[in-house]
């Protein structure tokens, strides 16, 4: 393929993407394909000879696109949003076009330095304490990781390394292996699966502590857990606080957890993967009160901030904590400097290689501007509030818990069986996509405003789909008798808000 | 930014990329910027208001591009190649355009299934044993990881999990923590830094065993290491064999290491990050003789196979080994199936989220075809052979060790001081980029054919740059006397081929 063909193929792809979003409402959010559809359809072997780009493109539109779930459809309300925007797509395109790998400064100076600049910009937008920024006099700084999963694990490993160094200083004869197996990590039972997985991957026991009835991990609970474990000879090492849990978007009080961690020299990591984006609006910053206690802070710009996956923005108060844990040197990787202010980012992450991911963050920050992004966040929250009102106006439904950010959880008064049935029927029809969770022992449906294209009218379409399906399955005559049964299971109040499935 | 502006911005980016490669020879491979150049140049804060895409693009071309190292310049000979091609750039663009995350099958059926298909295609192209393929009757299969670093770590963690399950079956009362700290991983002292780092990240002692004088880890060495460790009460758990070491592209004999691993129930992972690409040409497959002993095999399609970073292709013989190690369930992640043939890839990797990366691999396989890719590999090897002849014809130089694939290592007869000086001067002039390594106790310069655009003429330009600089610094009168000094350091022969820098 020469550059002329690339101009044609590339521009056809640009037009395809523009058309795809111009017509995003024309197709169902969920594709009508059966498991195995594409495996059966495509040949068993790669082509032997080159194919013309037009044939390749036709294969893409005819066979692949029909099997795609439309994450940017206004009726996509599952999980949390995944960022996509025209600005980000071009930033990412430029990243691929330059095709550099930022393993050292010399390997591409702009790659390292634009990451420093954009992570300072972004940290300031969020109102993070200055200590987290590369632009501060101290050893703090930001780095782009692939995912919140990766950030949680990177900080767990750094915390483990830091703790062992601290203990070795107190007792140089310490047996490292026997000590490390006593380390314990803590988070709430509302954590994302990736937090629990980080314990598995990083070989550290991870205790999922019971959240309160609002889904928040409280300081007293953490303190008690530390005491229990210390009494058993274990060593508290790492805490992951959640700002915006996956199930119900609850916010752990950092101002309670922080002092407990500080007193015990335990690393406090903040996972604000989704909801952290709202901190660009000053009116939501009270939800991160106590952030000054954190050692590390992570937010997925690729969730709610219109940057394409992968762009998980992570800040640490002390870059040396990462470098100490991850630096493995080689002659061929020697670089011109050793300056924390122009970091060798390969020591701030697990893999050696790294793309020029700051280009997409940069493109979004420039094309939207801070005000544009704030408008986006506020707009999405107001759409969720609009949906909340629609649900609340229908007495067959209960909205619970209190909606937060772009998330509205609801269920049928009739109970779990019908709520589940409602969700299953909706998914079967493929016009709307939501997922379930469990709250206070009851099955709930999570509805999240995900697409940047969503309007008030779209929200009303989504509500109509839900309402019509409820009309199909709920016998309104039975409403009164069933509503009494709610009280009878109120003793379930204190059950984990988002139980793990077994 | 609306879709019309995106069409303009996106197409401008496509043209920029096409022009960038059309004119790749016009600029130096290394940029003429000082550390901190961009940090000083850009504003300290993100813009408050949206900027027009044309202004953003101007900022990109004026400030960012001048600080980019040109990895696709024909004079980029550092590290190993990083894949970029027009076919891959468009594949990646489509991935960003669709903006899906493949956490479950339902989250985007085509995302999971195209990965299955392309990994089968690719595995067959390489001549991997059928057991590794999803299309086989067994539990094997391929998955795209972000990097070889990630693949090495994923398999280390799976090996740890598998070993503990095996031992628990033999002895149900086993203390898991106390057993795990006895696990040992092995690789050669020629391994990439990422292999050593996987031991650090995965909390497993990683022994770097001495390679032979050709840079290969031998079966006898591994066997002895197992015996030594078992005598100490330790438990061999994981071996990483290198097919194409980073320093000198040496190939560990799998047919020697495999039986040793098999006999001891130790997981054998093959890191063929760079050189594995050559196995698409049958004439190089003898270098992976014994691959049937491997439990897992990894090759970076994003190195030598024209696919953009990140696309590390990893196969395992038994997908359940990964699932057992990494599965952490949640209600909101429940999917329609539980079928290994249509895998829930999130259990095959560390992070939860995953992009539609198979699109770029697919685009490259289709646009080049198997034959096109073989031509690419063979062409690059023949260019390296051409460079070898040019160096060998100049008696001031020694080529050592034997060149392999696209790598030629050479040094000045005059010794380390001048070889280092030669490299430093060349880098200072920014027209050619190579990195150093150490071989048999001597400093060597690594010259790799990296760019897909490299021609015979380009190789001659690179050689002329080296030769001219050698003319500047080597006093040919002193040649005879110095050549005697080589013999005197021959006792260094058995020193590690690529020592770590301290």
């Amino acid at each position: 393929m020469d550059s002329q063909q690339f101009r044609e193929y590339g521009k056809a792809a640009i037009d395809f993407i523009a058309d795809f979003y111009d017509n995003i409402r024309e197709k169902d959010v969920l594709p009508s394909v059966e498991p195995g559809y594409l495996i059966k359809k495509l040949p068993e072997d790669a082509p032997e000879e080159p194919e013309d780009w037009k044939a390749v493109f036709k294969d893409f539109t005819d066979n692949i696109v029909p099997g795609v779930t439309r994450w940017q459809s206004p009726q996509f309300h599952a999980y949390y949003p995944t960022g996509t925007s025209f600005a980000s797509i071009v930033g990412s395109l430029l990243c691929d076009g330059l095709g550099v790998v930022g393993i050292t400064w010399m390997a591409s100076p702009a790659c390292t330095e634009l990451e420093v600049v954009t992570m300072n910009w972004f940290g300031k937008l969020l109102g993070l304490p200055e200590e987290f920024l590369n632009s501060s006099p101290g050893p703090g700084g930001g780095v782009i990781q692939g995912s919140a999963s990766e950030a949680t694990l990177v900080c767990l490993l750094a915390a483990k390394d830091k703790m062992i160094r601290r203990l070795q200083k107190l007792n140089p004869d310490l047996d490292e292996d026997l000590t490390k197996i006593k380390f314990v990590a803590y988070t709430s039972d509302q954590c994302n699966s990736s937090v629990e997985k980080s314990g598995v991957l990083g070989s550290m026991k991870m205790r999922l502590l019971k959240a309160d009835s609002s889904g928040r991990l409280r300081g007293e609970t953490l303190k008690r857990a530390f005491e229990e474990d210390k009494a058993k000879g274990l060593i508290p090492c790492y805490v992951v606080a959640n700002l915006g849990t996956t199930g119900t978007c609850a916010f752990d009080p950092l101002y309670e957890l922080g002092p407990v961690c500080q007193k015990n020299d335990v690393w406090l990591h903040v996972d604000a993967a989704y909801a952290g984006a709202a901190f660009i609006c000053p009116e939501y910053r009270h939800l991160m009160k106590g952030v000054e206690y954190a050692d590390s802070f992570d937010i997925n710009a690729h969730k709610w901030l219109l940057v394409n996956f992968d762009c998980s923005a992570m800040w640490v108060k002390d870059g040396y904590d990462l470098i100490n844990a991850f630096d493995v040197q080689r002659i061929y990787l020697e670089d011109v400097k050793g300056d924390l202010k122009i970091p060798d980012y390969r020591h701030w992450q697990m893999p050696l290689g790294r793309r020029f991911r700051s280009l997409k963050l940069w493109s979004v920050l420039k094309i939207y501007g801070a005000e544009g992004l704030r408008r986006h966040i506020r707009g999405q929250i107001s759409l969720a509030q609009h949906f909340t009102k629609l649900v609340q106006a229908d007495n067959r439904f209960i909205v619970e818990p209190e909606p937060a950010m772009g998330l509205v959880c609801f269920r049928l008064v009739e109970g779990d069986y019908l709520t589940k049935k409602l969700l299953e029927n909706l998914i079967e029809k493929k016009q709307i996509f939501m997922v379930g969770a469990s709250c206070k022992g009851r099955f709930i449906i999570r509805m999240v405003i995900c697409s940047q294209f969503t309007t008030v009218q779209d929200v009303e379409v989504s509500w109509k789909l839900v309402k019509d399906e409820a009309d199909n399955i709920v016998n309104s005559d039975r409403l009164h008798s069933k509503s009494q049964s709610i009280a009878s299971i109120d003793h379930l109040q204190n059950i984990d808000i988002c139980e793990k499935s077994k």
Side-chain angles (χ1 to χ4, degrees), chain A:
Chain A
M1 167 164 264
D2 62 23
S3 67
Q4 184 48 39
Q5 289 164 322
F6 167 69
R7 287 179 211 261
E8 292 164 22
Y9 186 25
K11 290 175 187 179
I14 294 288
D15 280 326
F16 164 84
I17 295 165
D19 293 342
F20 185 78
Y21 290 115
D22 283 346
N23 304 314
I24 192 73
R25 287 174 188 79
E26 281 178 11
K27 300 266 185 192
D28 289 342
V29 55
L30 288 170
S32 288
V33 296
E34 292 300 311
Y37 93 98
L38 191 63
I39 296 172
K40 284 176 210 141
K41 208 166 214 171
L42 297 185
E44 285 180 12
D45 292 278
E48 195 58 22
E49 294 300 329
E51 289 183 12
D52 181 74
W53 75 261
K54 284 180 188 154
V56 175
F57 207 68
K58 189 169 158 33
D59 197 13
F60 171 72
T61 51
D62 288 0
N63 295 322
I64 295 173
V65 177
V68 160
T69 298
R70 290 171 186 243
W71 282 65
Q72 299 306 319
S73 159
Q75 269 71 52
F76 185 99
H77 300 300
Y79 319 117
Y80 276 130
T82 196
T84 309
S85 67
F86 294 135
S88 168
I89 291 169
V90 180
S92 184
L93 173 58
L94 294 173
C95 161
D96 281 326
L98 296 176
V100 304
V101 180
I103 44 180
T104 64
W105 177 84
M106 173 92 92
S108 219
C111 180
T112 296
E113 297 197 22
L114 191 67
E115 191 158 330
V116 169
V117 170
T118 51
M119 287 298 289
N120 281 333
W121 287 4
F122 191 18
K124 287 184 200 173
L125 275 191
L126 293 165
L128 287 185
E130 207 206 348
E131 287 173 273
F132 283 107
L133 306 182
N134 176 292
S135 53
S136 76
V143 59
I144 298 175
Q145 304 282 347
S147 60
S149 317
E150 213 172 312
T152 310
L153 178 55
V154 160
C155 291
L156 178 144
L157 295 168
K160 196 199 271 195
D161 182 78
K162 187 174 191 173
M163 181 63 85
I164 204 80
R165 285 172 200 265
R166 195 174 70 80
L167 297 178
Q168 276 172 335
K169 216 176 253 176
L170 298 173
N171 172 12
D173 300 329
L174 192 87
D175 183 305
E176 199 174 314
D177 288 331
L178 291 177
T179 308
K180 276 182 179 168
I181 61 178
K182 295 182 192 156
F183 290 176
V184 187
Y186 306 82
T187 190
S188 97
D189 55 9
Q190 301 307 300
C191 73
N192 185 271
S193 63
S194 66
V195 177
E196 187 177 346
K197 194 164 169 178
S198 75
V200 175
L201 299 172
S203 299
M204 197 185 294
K205 266 173 279 292
M206 172 78 67
R207 285 188 62 186
L208 307 189
L209 305 176
K210 202 167 169 49
D212 70 9
S213 63
S214 307
R216 304 180 306 158
L217 174 61
R218 305 302 298 268
E220 267 306 311
T221 309
L222 184 66
K223 187 165 166 254
R224 224 166 26 239
F226 280 8
E227 282 161 6
E228 284 162 17
D229 285 341
K230 288 205 269 188
K232 286 185 204 155
L234 300 174
I235 303 166
C237 178
Y238 184 56
V239 169
V240 181
N242 306 278
L243 294 186
T245 56
T246 308
T248 63
C249 203
F251 291 78
D252 293 338
L254 299 183
Y255 52 89
E256 288 184 10
L257 303 176
V260 180
C261 291
Q262 192 180 54
K263 197 175 162 196
N264 291 275
D265 286 311
V266 168
W267 183 300
L268 176 61
H269 176 70
V270 177
D271 180 3
Y274 160 70
F279 303 145
I280 64 172
C281 305
E283 66 269 30
Y284 294 109
R285 288 195 192 143
H286 65 94
L287 292 167
M288 64 167 171
K289 185 181 156 196
V291 67
E292 65 278 7
Y293 289 105
D295 294 279
S296 51
F297 185 96
D298 185 72
I299 159 178
N300 284 341
H302 65 243
K303 275 203 166 67
W304 206 13
L305 276 174
L306 302 168
V307 181
N308 274 67
F309 190 85
D310 51 347
C311 185
S312 191
M314 180 185 110
W315 290 266
V316 289
K317 264 194 195 148
D318 189 347
Y320 289 113
D321 290 339
L322 303 179
I323 294 170
N324 289 338
F326 300 141
D327 183 2
V328 174
Q329 276 294 350
R330 283 295 187 283
I331 288 180
Y332 53 82
L333 291 174
E334 268 179 9
D335 208 343
V336 283
K337 329 137 293 72
D339 181 354
L340 194 72
K341 290 296 164 191
I342 299 164
D344 269 342
Y345 275 131
R346 69 179 185 280
H347 305 314
W348 291 53
Q349 63 176 20
M350 294 191 292
L352 172 58
R354 56 199 332 273
R355 305 201 315 291
F356 200 160
R357 290 182 287 208
S358 60
L359 274 171
K360 53 188 175 183
L361 178 58
W362 170 85
S363 182
V364 167
L365 291 172
K366 299 267 283 183
I367 295 277
Y368 283 84
E371 253 322 284
L373 291 173
R374 287 186 204 110
R375 268 195 297 275
H376 164 68
I377 295 292
R378 288 171 182 147
Q380 299 246 307
I381 294 173
S382 76
L383 290 171
Q385 289 166 346
H386 184 61
F387 186 80
T388 303
K389 279 183 203 144
L390 296 171
V391 183
Q392 284 173 333
D394 187 325
N395 65 4
R396 294 171 301 177
F397 288 93
I398 289 175
V399 172
E400 193 180 41
E402 189 67 29
M405 302 298 164
L407 171 68
V408 186
C409 299
F410 62 96
R411 58 187 168 86
L412 282 166
V413 171
E414 289 270 333
D416 281 2
Y417 175 77
L418 281 187
T419 305
K420 266 187 196 168
K421 181 88 189 137
L422 172 64
L423 180 61
E424 280 165 16
N425 289 5
L426 285 168
I427 288 178
E428 191 135 320
K429 288 186 176 161
K430 303 188 187 297
Q431 294 173 295
I432 188 169
F433 187 26
M434 301 181 288
V435 290
S438 152
C439 173
K440 300 186 186 174
R442 295 204 185 88
F443 186 82
I444 54 171
I445 299 176
R446 293 172 74 264
M447 187 278 191
V448 187
I449 303 292
C450 287
S451 168
Q452 61 179 299
F453 301 113
T454 313
T455 62
V456 172
Q457 290 72 37
D458 291 317
V459 169
E460 288 171 358
V461 169
S462 291
W463 166 243
K464 188 168 183 315
L465 289 168
V466 174
K467 193 187 148 297
D468 288 353
E469 193 54 40
D471 291 345
N472 286 340
I473 61 171
V474 181
N475 179 341
S476 53
D477 293 342
R478 286 161 52 210
L479 190 61
H480 180 253
S481 64
K482 283 287 172 181
S483 67
Q484 294 181 320
S485 72
I486 303 162
S488 67
I489 48 169
D490 257 352
H491 66 278
L492 292 175
Q493 275 278 356
N494 287 321
I495 285 185
D496 299 341
I497 289 208
C498 282
E499 280 180 300
K500 286 190 293 171
S501 69
K502 303 304 167 200

